[in-house]
Amino acid sequence: MATTSSAEPKTNRIGLTVIDYKGGRTTLCAGCGHNAISERIIDAMYEMGVQPERVAKLSGIGCSSKSPAYFMSRSHSFNAVHGRMPSVATGAVLANHNLIALGVSGDGDTASIGIGQFVHLMRRNLPLIYIIEDNGVYGLTKGQFSATADIGSKLKTGVINDLPPIDTCALAIQLGASFVGRSFSGDKRQLLAMLKAAIAHRGTVMLDVISPCVTFNDHEGSTKSYKYMKDHDEPLQEISFIPSFEEIDVDYDPGTTVDVTMHDGSHLRLRKLDVDYDPTNKLRAIATLTEAHHEGETLTGVFYIDPNKPTFMDLLHVTDEPLATLPADAVRPPKAVLDEVMESLR
Amino acid sequence: MASTDVIVQEVSRRDDSQRFVNDFSLQVATVNGSGSQSANTILLRSIFQMGIPVSGKNLFPSNIAGLPTWYTIRANKHGYIGRKKEIDFLIAMNQETAREDVLSLSPGAAVLYDEPMNLASLRPDLTFYSVPFDKIVATVCPEAKLRKLVKNMIYVGVMAHLLGLDMVQVENALRKQFAKKVKAADLNWGAAQAGFDYAASSLSKKDPCRVERMDKTAGKIIVDGNTAAALGSMFAGVTVVTWYPITPSSSLVETLIDYMKKYRIRPDGKATFAIVQAEDELAAIGMVIGAGWAGARAMTATAGPGISLMAEFAGLGYYVEIPAVIWDIQRVGPSTGLPTRTSQGDVLFTAVLSHGDTKHIMLFPASVEECFSMAQDAFNLAEWFQTPVFVMSDLDLGMNNWMSDPFPYPTQPIDRGKVLSKEDLDRLGGFARYKDVDGDGIGWRTLPGTDHPAAAYFTRGSGHNEKAQYTERPDDYENNMLRLARKFEGARARVPKSVQMGSGRERVGIIAYGTSHWAILESRDQLRNEHGLESDYLRLRAYPFPHEVQDFIENHERVYVVEQNRDAQLFDLLRLDLPVEQVGKLRSIAHCHGLPLDARSVTDELMSLEGN
Ligand SMILES: Cc1ncc(C[n+]2csc(CCOP(=O)(O)OP(=O)(O)O)c2C)c(N)n1
Ligand code: SF4
Ligand SMILES: [Mg+2]
């Protein structure tokens, strides 16, 4: 949209415009949910004032895994092999824990070929944002069912899925991820708030974002279509996020709202909708997900959060400087050490 | 003198009484889990401390306890430390294998056995020593439940007497072995002495194996290749290590963990490294690739089954050009194969590991010293060429004890290769990740986190052009692949050079690599001394093959390529690499029984191929 030429472009707290967060032109289908998620990532990073150079984008293989090419060109990116983004991301964070690691995967990439690495990533609570762009099918290989497809959901070809879905959120909570939620690519407000909170979180954030595939799974009978989500999206809470660098100007009612103080001092506010829900209770979270599943509802919102759980990097106790760029004298012990070892082997 | 040389001496075969002085192979047959390892190490060290070149090889089952194991100690005044085909002295402690062990000995060999086994009647052509282990141990170890543990120390004492080992050296070795466990040391020392006393009073020496003090081990160390590789990696400045346990590579990382905890934790308690036990080898190599991408010196160690799993990532590393170091401690395949036996059976597969046109740099350490130095070479090459580098060790080298000169402190600086900093980018304005600006096929890279708006690039395993942008254009693909091939060609001049021995003017040449080296050293002497055949020898240390290989083949009529696998894998790689007219000169000598290659087998086969 045209703006008046005299107006300064809007900038964020580090002086960047939203353009500085843009990526290449998308090659995904028009209307693909993944594109909307890319947009929200751009907004969240811009609004949080994240230095793009500090971000490392990581992905596997799939339409979803291509999407890092379509946002934040000023960040390094690694489109790895199918289902193995977690290990590549882990290596990158081990090498440089000052990076803000953003992993983008698909439901096929995560829940089938990559389930092993996914499980172990969650278990480690590595500082990383892990987004599943979940459309219930393998988009890039032309629409086969994935392991998150609901029982009874139907392909365009008429094939009906007769296996139960893997609930990646329940799995992530059980395994040790410290921030787990589900959203919908079509719910701008909710997704943006969750992404901003994800950026503020320290530890593994696992967001399963329902992201309809307009080409292969948006028809009648699909449980991952825009229409289905409009009818069945059941938000648990109304989510707002107040970053650490903003004044808190709105009070909240502790009777209706859970306020989570994040590690960096930000606040995540979850206003209860129907049910009384405590997002710090693991057992309750898993039970709630299971119940919703039985009811045929697609619950969205923040299911679980522990802002202070030690991360994998805390456990490894590495130097504050990135391991990758430690100077030679920090990583090669002096000659006296070799002499001592040689003496012990005589 | 490099530790891969031997002390070449005139070998006299005529004087038989001298023949087995400081030249014999001694095998201890036990069951695993019986604690014989300490006794064997003490025997080995005692001989070593008497100045006699020695090596120890453990032939063990893939099992935790209760199955047969054989430990072979070879003492050799000439410095031959490869496996000797014949066993000269058997210490039979395992009822289950005793009969077969005895029957397989060559005439004239000696056997020490536990009295109840009653082996002496098996063969008239051997020397037998019967020792009542249980009776002796009862006198020195009142506590019945400890007896099983100290029983093995009896044979250390008996052998000390029979071989003429200095008991002062035995005690030194024993106390070193038990280090701070003084009570255990005292108890075991008592057992060793009791064995010695029994032998002195009740056995009369009838076999020719003897030791005499020499001065060939002064200043030397005894160490296994995995420990050497761990040390080399630590001094190479490794920062990220990921792994999944597998014999025979586990001890490399486990030893590395110990050293890093001791020497790479800062006074403030912070580690200058991260070591992660991954969920499998796919994850281990994935983490290495991710860490290498982000700028760490990252490595993993594995064996054949792990190498198979790493194929897809190896291709990614090659194609997107990320440094990585992978140690393959080769064992016998295919499949699970013989997990505790040695081979050089992964060479061909690893050279081209991955689908699509792929080639990998491989290094072939032959000695513990090279495990140490090549750990450093591997990182320097990986970072210079921005590619995975495989260090092809094997079980024999990795897990057995080898004598060596102490390792020299690295003099090479840590070379991080072509990495652009923020300041470089300020100056240049930008860069193209895969552009061949220097004419060597190697582009410049930036690390994630580099604080410059032009630093980022998109790493993808799909088709990419010079700017790392997605492309399916035929010319982009082809140009990139040709550049990768040029880059690989350039590695020939930078990988460790081959080592050549001999006058260079002989008609017969030998090419070998890795641990086959030890058999070749000895075999060349056998060929000369027994058959009057002089040979030249080129020991390959890397793939792609350095340029001198072709010159070597050019200058010889016939070249024997010796290796430890069935399909003559390196021979095949040479055939792919060499001009056709050279291929016809090659002959293969390949062995694949899972035991370290011995000189006698090489000599015999080479002579029969020579038409003798
Ligand atoms: C080892 C391997 N097997 C199979 C493929 C083929 N493949 C590419 S993408 C894909 C599925 C992607 O599905 P998903 O992760 O859900 O991504 P989407 O395209 O739906 O966003 C498959 C099977 C591959 N690239 N690698
Ligand atoms: S095929 Fe489906 S998932 Fe892939 S880009 Fe098109 S709409 Fe998106
Ligand atoms: Mg999908």
Side-chain angles (χ1 to χ4, degrees):
Chain A
M1 253 195 41
T3 46
T4 46
S5 55
S6 60
E8 284 287 312
K10 232 179 114 191
T11 56
N12 63 7
R13 67 178 176 127
I14 59 165
L16 297 183
T17 67
V18 76
I19 308 289
D20 295 312
Y21 294 82
K22 292 275 189 236
R25 199 174 47 83
T26 180
T27 62
L28 302 180
C29 306
C32 175
H34 304 348
N35 284 331
I37 300 172
S38 298
E39 293 295 323
R40 294 297 82 70
I41 293 171
I42 291 171
D43 293 345
M45 291 285 183
Y46 167 73
E47 289 179 25
M48 289 293 283
V50 174
Q51 183 71 40
E53 286 74 22
R54 272 194 62 203
V55 175
K57 301 174 285 178
L58 302 126
S59 60
I61 297 291
C63 296
S64 36
S65 295
K66 282 184 181 185
S67 69
Y70 316 132
F71 60 87
M72 295 182 82
S73 293
R74 276 174 58 174
S75 309
H76 273 75
S77 197
F78 196 151
N79 187 191
V81 288
H82 195 20
R84 320 291 177 206
M85 174 267 277
S87 60
V88 176
T90 304
V93 173
L94 293 175
N96 184 349
H97 58 83
N98 291 340
L99 294 172
I100 297 167
L102 173 65
V104 177
S105 180
D107 43 318
D109 198 60
T110 292
S112 292
I113 192 168
I115 194 78
Q117 296 208 345
F118 173 74
V119 159
H120 287 274
L121 179 73
M122 295 301 124
R123 212 182 141 225
R124 295 189 179 105
N125 194 34
L126 186 85
L128 161 108
I129 303 166
Y130 190 104
I131 297 172
I132 306 176
E133 302 189 342
D134 185 356
N135 51 20
V137 287
Y138 295 177
L140 194 58
T141 52
K142 295 186 178 284
Q144 303 83 355
F145 275 128
S146 82
T148 65
D150 290 300
I151 228 167
S153 95
K154 194 157 71 179
L155 285 187
K156 266 184 163 172
T157 54
V159 177
I160 302 218
N161 178 40
D162 47 15
L163 290 175
I166 292 176
D167 186 337
T168 50
C169 288
L171 203 55
I173 294 167
Q174 197 216 333
L175 289 164
S178 48
F179 180 171
V180 178
R182 176 170 288 132
S183 188
F184 168 44
S185 65
D187 187 343
K188 281 191 186 180
R189 259 198 79 197
Q190 185 198 47
L191 181 55
L192 180 62
M194 280 169 70
L195 285 170
K196 291 201 304 197
I199 294 165
H201 184 71
R202 225 175 135 271
T204 298
V205 182
M206 206 300 283
L207 300 180
D208 177 35
V209 185
I210 308 298
S211 175
C213 169
V214 290
T215 306
F216 297 110
N217 204 16
D218 199 30
H219 50 273
E220 188 65 40
S222 158
T223 60
K224 299 271 194 288
S225 65
Y226 283 111
K227 169 98 178 32
Y228 186 90
M229 280 308 286
K230 270 210 185 83
D231 298 342
H232 296 83
D233 183 354
E234 236 3 277
L236 254 184
Q237 319 107 333
E238 194 180 288
I239 303 170
S240 50
F241 177 79
I242 304 139
S244 58
F245 53 84
E246 269 174 27
E247 296 266 324
I248 303 181
D249 51 4
V250 213
D251 283 336
Y252 70 98
D253 168 9
T256 61
T257 302
V258 179
D259 179 272
V260 183
T261 308
M262 312 283 292
H263 192 86
D264 70 344
S266 315
H267 288 263
L268 177 64
R269 291 207 179 145
L270 308 168
R271 196 171 68 81
K272 298 162 196 173
L273 294 175
D274 289 347
V275 284
D276 205 11
Y277 187 80
D278 172 11
T280 62
N281 182 335
K282 258 192 181 191
L283 284 180
R284 179 68 204 281
I286 293 170
T288 306
L289 284 167
T290 315
E291 281 158 22
H293 188 68
H294 280 292
E295 306 286 310
E297 287 167 349
T298 306
L299 268 195
T300 57
V302 175
F303 301 143
Y304 178 71
I305 186 162
D306 176 355
N308 298 314
K309 182 178 174 177
T311 72
F312 193 51
M313 297 315 290
D314 296 333
L315 303 180
L316 287 170
H317 224 74
V318 298
T319 51
D320 298 336
E321 314 94 285
L323 293 176
T325 47
L326 287 174
D329 61 355
V331 296
R332 173 174 282 172
K335 184 168 180 301
V337 166
L338 186 62
D339 292 344
E340 180 181 312
V341 175
M342 289 299 109
E343 196 47 47
S344 73
L345 297 171
R346 269 184 230 280
Chain B
M1 191 178 81
S3 62
T4 42
D5 299 341
V6 279
I7 311 143
V8 183
Q9 284 184 355
E10 203 35 55
V11 185
S12 163
R13 295 260 146 201
R14 263 158 285 160
D15 184 354
D16 237 31
S17 70
Q18 283 300 303
R19 195 171 138 197
F20 291 93
V21 174
N22 295 347
D23 186 3
F24 55 84
S25 189
L26 182 159
Q27 186 167 72
V28 186
T30 49
V31 287
N32 71 328
S34 69
S36 59
Q37 195 56 36
S38 301
N40 299 337
T41 306
I42 291 163
L43 264 181
L44 177 89
R45 290 205 80 95
S46 304
I47 298 171
F48 172 77
Q49 286 165 9
M50 288 184 69
I52 305 154
V54 69
S55 65
K57 295 198 190 298
N58 194 14
L59 190 69
F60 60 108
S62 177
N63 176 272
I64 301 303
L67 287 185
T69 112
W70 295 266
Y71 189 79
T72 307
I73 295 173
R74 180 176 190 187
N76 186 277
K77 56 189 160 228
H78 310 296
Y80 301 137
I81 53 178
R83 185 172 73 90
K84 184 179 176 187
K85 199 171 184 184
E86 309 79 22
I87 301 298
D88 303 307
F89 203 116
L90 172 73
I91 301 174
M93 301 295 287
N94 183 4
Q95 174 87 50
E96 203 187 317
T97 63
R99 203 184 135 80
E100 200 187 327
D101 289 343
V102 167
L103 291 178
S104 64
L105 291 171
S106 306
V111 181
L112 169 78
Y113 66 94
D114 194 2
E115 193 172 46
M117 284 194 238
N118 207 5
L119 300 175
S121 57
L122 278 178
R123 279 176 63 170
D125 58 341
L126 304 179
T127 301
F128 285 95
Y129 300 104
S130 166
V131 175
F133 279 85
D134 288 332
K135 274 185 217 150
I136 303 174
V137 84
T139 63
V140 292
C141 185
E143 234 179 296
K145 62 175 198 280
L146 288 180
R147 283 181 196 153
K148 227 187 94 186
L149 290 175
V150 297
K151 183 173 168 181
N152 289 309
M153 216 54 67
I154 306 283
Y155 68 67
V156 174
V158 174
M159 289 311 294
H161 180 76
L162 290 174
L163 294 174
L165 281 173
D166 182 347
M167 279 301 266
V168 175
Q169 295 308 336
V170 175
E171 182 170 7
N172 287 346
L174 187 146
R175 300 222 176 260
K176 186 180 172 84
Q177 179 71 18
F178 291 99
K180 293 190 180 86
K181 292 178 244 161
V182 180
K183 267 178 109 174
D186 289 345
L187 186 64
N188 280 283
W189 175 232
Q193 281 176 308
F196 186 92
D197 293 344
Y198 173 82
S201 61
S202 314
L203 301 178
S204 60
K205 173 82 173 169
K206 287 172 290 182
D207 73 280
C209 299
R210 269 193 304 119
V211 295
E212 273 174 16
R213 189 172 277 284
M214 288 178 81
D215 61 353
K216 297 296 184 197
T217 67
K220 296 211 186 267
I221 57 169
I222 293 184
V223 70
D224 61 81
N226 283 351
T227 300
L231 282 169
S233 305
M234 176 167 77
F235 284 96
V238 67
T239 46
V240 173
V241 185
T242 62
W243 66 302
Y244 187 76
I246 183 168
T247 306
S249 72
S250 302
S251 67
L252 195 165
V253 180
E254 283 165 339
T255 310
L256 182 54
I257 292 170
D258 290 344
Y259 282 128
M260 295 289 258
K261 278 187 178 160
K262 192 154 175 201
Y263 298 118
R264 288 277 298 274
I265 307 246
R266 286 184 173 173
D268 64 0
K270 295 281 177 79
T272 60
F273 63 90
I275 302 184
V276 175
Q277 186 183 322
E279 54 270 32
D280 55 28
E281 289 88 346
L282 296 171
I285 183 77
M287 290 178 195
V288 166
I289 295 283
W293 176 72
R297 285 206 144 181
M299 66 177 270
T300 182
T302 189
I307 291 287
S308 290
L309 287 184
M310 291 178 184
E312 191 185 16
F313 261 122
L316 177 79
Y318 171 81
Y319 192 47
V320 303
E321 302 179 62
I322 291 176
V325 172
I326 301 106
W327 283 79
D328 179 6
I329 316 301
Q330 295 168 90
R331 63 187 218 183
V332 173
S335 190
T336 303
L338 308 179
T340 59
R341 298 298 144 82
T342 195
S343 96
Q344 297 180 319
D346 298 346
V347 173
L348 188 56
F349 179 54
T350 304
V352 295
L353 191 66
S354 159
H355 56 280
D357 289 319
T358 311
K359 286 181 178 187
H360 299 295
I361 296 176
M362 296 189 289
L363 304 182
F364 306 120
S367 63
V368 289
E369 193 175 355
E370 282 184 347
C371 287
F372 182 76
S373 61
M374 285 184 180
Q376 301 158 49
D377 296 335
F379 279 114
N380 288 344
L381 288 165
E383 292 197 314
W384 180 256
F385 288 102
Q386 302 172 4
T387 197
V389 171
F390 292 81
V391 192
M392 308 301 286
S393 178
D394 63 29
L395 181 141
D396 182 26
L397 180 56
M399 290 191 74
N400 283 324
N401 280 319
W402 298 81
M403 194 179 84
S404 169
D405 286 330
F407 307 147
Y409 190 71
T411 48
Q412 273 177 311
I414 290 177
D415 183 354
R416 307 301 314 266
K418 299 186 185 180
V419 179
L420 294 172
S421 65
K422 168 182 163 30
E423 291 69 32
D424 295 329
L425 291 167
D426 281 340
R427 191 166 38 82
L428 297 167
F431 81 115
R433 169 66 183 95
Y434 298 113
K435 195 170 158 80
D436 185 7
V437 285
D438 303 320
D440 54 6
I442 308 165
W444 287 77
R445 62 181 186 134
T446 54
L447 304 184
T450 304
D451 188 15
H452 192 284
Y457 67 97
F458 199 101
T459 305
R460 44 165 63 86
S462 45
H464 44 267
N465 62 18
E466 287 179 342
K467 293 179 175 157
Q469 292 158 330
Y470 185 80
T471 173
E472 295 176 1
R473 286 173 56 130
D475 56 343
D476 280 343
Y477 175 78
E478 191 170 9
N479 288 339
N480 188 41
M481 290 303 283
L482 294 177
R483 178 184 56 80
L484 283 168
R486 279 203 310 282
K487 177 172 97 162
F488 193 73
E489 269 305 297
R492 287 185 199 276
R494 216 166 160 124
V495 295
K497 292 242 169 312
S498 309
V499 179
Q500 299 196 38
M501 297 176 81
S503 68
R505 294 185 301 272
E506 311 304 337
R507 286 178 308 141
V508 167
I510 298 174
I511 290 179
Y513 59 102
T515 51
S516 304
H517 171 67
W518 304 101
I520 303 302
L521 280 185
E522 190 174 352
S523 173
R524 288 180 66 237
D525 289 349
Q526 289 173 348
L527 290 169
R528 179 190 317 110
N529 298 330
E530 299 169 17
H531 303 277
L533 179 71
E534 293 286 351
S535 60
D536 290 324
Y537 170 33
L538 179 141
R539 180 164 68 85
L540 265 175
R541 300 201 298 161
Y543 177 80
F545 304 126
H547 300 288
E548 64 270 10
V549 176
Q550 286 195 21
D551 300 336
F552 182 83
I553 296 169
E554 190 59 41
N555 294 335
H556 292 87
E557 280 177 26
R558 294 177 296 285
V559 175
Y560 293 92
V561 181
V562 184
E563 54 193 314
Q564 302 175 61
N565 52 55
R566 185 192 66 182
D567 290 344
Q569 299 188 9
L570 189 100
F571 176 88
D572 284 346
L573 277 179
L574 279 167
R575 285 202 303 193
L576 291 173
D577 206 59
L578 294 171
V580 235
E581 55 293 358
Q582 289 202 344
V583 170
K585 292 182 167 192
L586 300 183
R587 312 270 185 279
S588 166
I589 295 181
H591 283 262
C592 74
H593 39 49
L595 306 178
L597 186 64
D598 67 279
R600 181 57 57 199
S601 300
V602 177
T603 303
D604 290 352
E605 187 164 346
L606 196 147
M607 284 318 295
S608 95
L609 288 167
E610 282 286 294
N612 287 321

